Amino acid sequence: MTRWLKFMGAAVGWSLICRAILELAPVHPIAVFFVWVVGFLWLTGWIAAGPKDADDLVKYCLATLALIALGGSVLFLLIAPFT
């Protein structure tokens, strides 16, 4: 029950912080969304397994996203001359 309460508190708190940033500062919503996703992922990992495992979880997820973006870019550059 305490993990669930920690998770809900972290999710609501993190969402309120990001909403306040969107309303108070001239920041692009996509930038805030990216920071929100990374922070939410880290908070979830921290609640589930601790700070070291949360760091590893974020590192692996961001590396996977970077490889997907890189692979998509290379594939686009290979296919683009033929279209």
Side-chain angles (χ1 to χ4, degrees), residues 29-58:
I30 293 175
V32 174
F33 175 73
F34 186 70
V35 170
W36 185 87
V37 168
V38 171
F40 187 76
L41 184 65
W42 190 88
L43 282 169
T44 304
W46 176 71
I47 291 167
K52 183 180 178 335
D53 291 328
D55 291 342
D56 292 340
L57 177 66
V58 170

Side-chain angles (χ1 to χ4, degrees), residues 1-19 35-48:
M1 185 69 168
T2 30
R3 278 191 176 176
W4 185 82
L5 289 174
K6 284 181 185 177
F7 174 76
M8 289 306 294
V12 169
W14 191 243
S15 295
L16 289 174
I17 289 170
C18 288
R19 183 174 177 91
V35 170
W36 185 87
V37 168
V38 171
F40 187 76
L41 184 65
W42 190 88
L43 282 169
T44 304
W46 176 71
I47 291 167

